[in-house]
Amino acid sequence: MKKKEPLWFPNPTYSLKKLYQVLRVFFYINLIIAFGSLQTFAQSPLDKTVTINLNNVPLRQALDKITSATGVRFTYNEAVAASNIKLTIKAKVQSLKQVLDAALANYPYSYSQLDQDILIRYDAAKLKKPVAEPAAKPAAGKFTISGTVTSKQSGETIIGASIRVVDGAQGTSTNGYGFYSITLPAGDHQLLISAIGQKSLIVPVALTSDQRLNITMDDNAQELQTVIITATQKGARDLKSPQMGVEKLNIREINDVPVLLGEHDVMKTIQLFPGIKSAGEGSGGFYVRGGATDQNLLMLDEATVYNAYHLLGFFSTFNSDAIKNVSIYKGDMPAQYGGRLSSVIDVKMNDGNNQKFGVSGGVGMIAARLNVEGPIQKGKSSFLISARRTYADAFLKLSKDTVVKNSRLYFYDINAKANLVLGDKDRVYISGYLGKDVLSANNVNGINWGNTTATLRWNHIFNNRFFSNTSFIYSNYDYEIKVKQDVNTYNITSRIKDWNFKEDMQYDIGADHSLSFGVNSVYHTIKPGEISATGNSGFISQKLETRYAWDNAAYVSDTWKVTDRFSLTYGTRLSAFSVIGPGSYYDVNADGDITGSKHYNSGQIVKNYVNLEPRVAAAFQLNDISSVKASYARNAQNLHLISNSTPGSPTDKWVASTNLIKPELADQFSVGYYRDLAGHKYEFTFETYYKKLQNQLDYRNDANIFTNQPIETQLLYGKGRAYGAEFLLRKKTGRLTGWISYTLSKSERLIDGINNNQWYNARQDRTHDLAIVGIYKLNDKWTLSANFVFYTGDAVTYPSGKYQIDGATYYYYTNRNASRLPAYHRLDLGATKQLKKTKKYSSELNFSLYNAYGNRNAYRIYFRDNKTDPNKTEAVRTTLFTYVPSITYNFKF
């Protein structure tokens, strides 16, 4: 029997030979781009010649006119922009350096080259020049500057703010709590601070000893390139960092993307990036680099969210009003994350405004939102409460149908957070989330499910180089299904509950090393499922035993700046998963029959699984605008989602590793190329990966997850592989912004007992995935947006024949996931009109049209006998949405 075959795509047109051809074309394109860029950047902007005649023109206007004449851009802060000095320049075919030297000679301003821009800065040293006095010798050695970067208007810590030395290669960024640390040689430096949505600034530092420097940044909703220092680099991918497969989103970027029914949705937006695929319309979950939906770790303020969707997948549980930042890691995740094979979605909530009280919200066609935040003690503590509820059930009351009228259909969620600054070195956060979905028909049949999370965090700064975060976390997910038939009532319940302790530490050893290390301990209580019945049906209640597990991990990771161009991150995570009693555990033979069992008492160890998960990543910066990266990572997963229905359904069951279900393992290799284009206006990224999977789970033929038999009797185990290439071209500045993403990929499984023991398509296999997103700032009042999505139809199993017994038709199946749904494509349009905007109040109207050309995408295809000729079989195609218009009113004061 053939166990292994060469890698192949189902359609020869897209074979690996074609993939090679595509990659070769992209390679040649990049060679052309590189050559063009070398021509463009061979000449320093200061060497460009200019002929210009200005008489008594204000500084800012003079710089704008030089930009018009040369194409060279200037960046500076507001103090420079507001200067009242006036320049007179008479130059004929002179270099820009000569022009600036002469123009600024008598004024307290200096200039320097910053990439392809010219940085103008205030220079107090030019006011007084020393006469015959020898220059003071700078202090010897190196010193560390550290602190927290926050917003001046709200007091919110700023994640991912860039701290960079002007005219130098040194730089760092704030961590997930707004803390930074950078070690520099003694002497005078100028630190350039920038972040998305903030006004950049330059901070002069005279470094003679270790310093604590907390930085506040002004919010900047209207980002003018001529005023913002490094406006060309805001949101730019870090070319020096070895981290691969990462996307970071600010909530301001998310709010402009058109979405279903006007509800801004983090989870839907990230599915527009390469390597991240929607699990399908009307279903929760998503696939990352060929992984299943349960192989994604979703966290809200460090708490695990096991089902992140409302209304069977139409909306996510993450309310955009309460979110500050979203980070997505696709396989190559930092060592502090673990427990999943494919990705980590790390969502951080807003801390709450500690400067002033504010209210914001919105009213749409299906839901209303309200967000309240403000200081408890100004500058030291704050709170945030954000709530959302749908009112679709209110429209049901208008129906004349009694069943519809008495039905319920709604969800709600509440986010709450408080934070307290205890001093210069300590800060405490308390945050929580409560969400619930209720769907019921005529108050008889229905399903309720929801998440509850709570997080208590303590940030402590030991010294300028040593930072720690201590967290205590609670997470609970449960669902209940109720079905009533005549006098009989059936209830199906399931739950997973976690208690979690985390300790994360960051220590900057020096200018070239940053060490991260910590521990994590989780106690899981898993109730896989229970079916109870009342009435006279004779149905015997079925119950799967509650399982208990203790999940521990320790990790260490170091980022080493080997040279100015070469950086390395290396480390490992050691995970130890203990299956513990009480409970009975079974032995199962190859046919799925129980051959033996053993009972364990409370606290007894059933099985220990220990896995070493090494990871290494390297980045080499080719020049100022491009770099290449490579990485390897191993991950282990001990929690598994059991589902034979729509991916992401709330009725899916979570089970832990047992004596038979082993931890899933993934080894991922990645290589990438990254390039900034056209003076940092654009970025292009290319990443390719190969993922080897072990201990993969799938169902036996005719499996039943609602059985009272151990779930192991319904499962088979094997291996998998996933590989592909991801392309992203993104425009980051100007009136028109957006991106084009494309993924070419393959995901397969090889499990004895399925598909004649040959490789078969995984359910999440999807050859092509394309997304185009455009956001156009028409004027101060109107912002227009659109996104187009196209992807290969999902892999499905269609019947290959049928037979009839006693007049009933039964279908039989052969190859699993060998067929495809039709290709999916959709265009969404959006427009936002600013109604009113003052310092104290703003309001806007958001219009959106989902599936603008009304394509009838297949939600499901099922088969039935032809009504006139039962010997014939017909396929029936169902569609969820065609045109879906919406309007939402948003406000803030």
Side-chain angles (χ1 to χ4, degrees), residues 7 42 107 117 156 183 333 335 379 403 406 446 466 478 497 561 576 578 601 662 720 725 727 748 760 762 769 871:
L7 307 183
Y107 299 104
D117 295 353
E156 291 269 358
T183 300
M333 55 194 75
V403 175
N406 293 328
F466 195 8
D478 58 49
K497 181 171 64 176
K561 182 181 176 183
S578 300
N601 296 322
K662 297 179 181 180
F727 305 86
E748 298 174 297
Y760 65 95
D769 200 294
N871 292 321

Side-chain angles (χ1 to χ4, degrees), residues 216-248:
T216 58
M217 303 183 73
D218 283 315
D219 292 347
N220 188 20
Q222 302 294 329
E223 293 184 341
L224 302 177
Q225 279 190 324
T226 54
V227 179
I228 302 305
I229 301 171
T230 66
T232 56
Q233 295 193 29
K234 287 195 174 183
R237 195 176 302 270
D238 190 344
L239 297 177
K240 295 178 180 290
S241 171
Q243 181 65 57
M244 290 186 65
V246 62
E247 302 291 345
K248 294 182 181 292

Side-chain angles (χ1 to χ4, degrees), residues 267-310:
M267 304 309 295
K268 299 299 184 185
T269 302
I270 67 172
Q271 293 167 23
L272 298 171
F273 284 90
I276 307 173
K277 307 177 181 182
S278 166
E281 201 164 54
S283 62
F286 55 95
Y287 309 131
V288 177
R289 290 189 170 178
T293 56
D294 66 322
Q295 293 175 357
N296 305 308
L297 176 62
L298 282 75
M299 303 194 317
L300 179 63
D301 268 5
E302 301 182 8
T304 301
V305 179
Y306 284 97
N307 189 308
Y309 292 92
H310 290 302

Side-chain angles (χ1 to χ4, degrees), residues 782-840:
W782 284 96
T783 299
L784 309 178
S785 58
N787 60 260
F788 174 76
V789 175
F790 172 90
Y791 55 77
T792 302
D794 292 341
V796 293
T797 305
Y798 287 154
S800 56
K802 69 177 182 179
Y803 56 91
Q804 291 187 340
I805 301 177
D806 296 331
T809 299
Y810 297 87
Y811 295 95
Y812 62 88
Y813 302 82
T814 52
N815 295 335
R816 188 172 296 193
N817 296 337
S819 300
R820 293 276 179 186
L821 289 176
Y824 180 100
H825 52 94
R826 186 189 78 240
L827 173 67
D828 304 329
L829 302 175
T832 300
K833 182 181 182 182
Q834 186 77 52
L835 299 177
K836 186 175 182 180
K837 186 167 186 180
T838 66
K839 289 185 178 181
K840 295 184 178 181

Side-chain angles (χ1 to χ4, degrees), residues 138 141 165 242 247 258 427 445 491 567 572 615 632 675 704 849:
V165 178
E247 302 291 345
R427 191 164 187 163
N445 302 322
N491 286 282
S567 297
T572 190
R615 45 201 82 182
Y632 162 76
R675 186 179 186 85
N704 178 16
L849 180 59

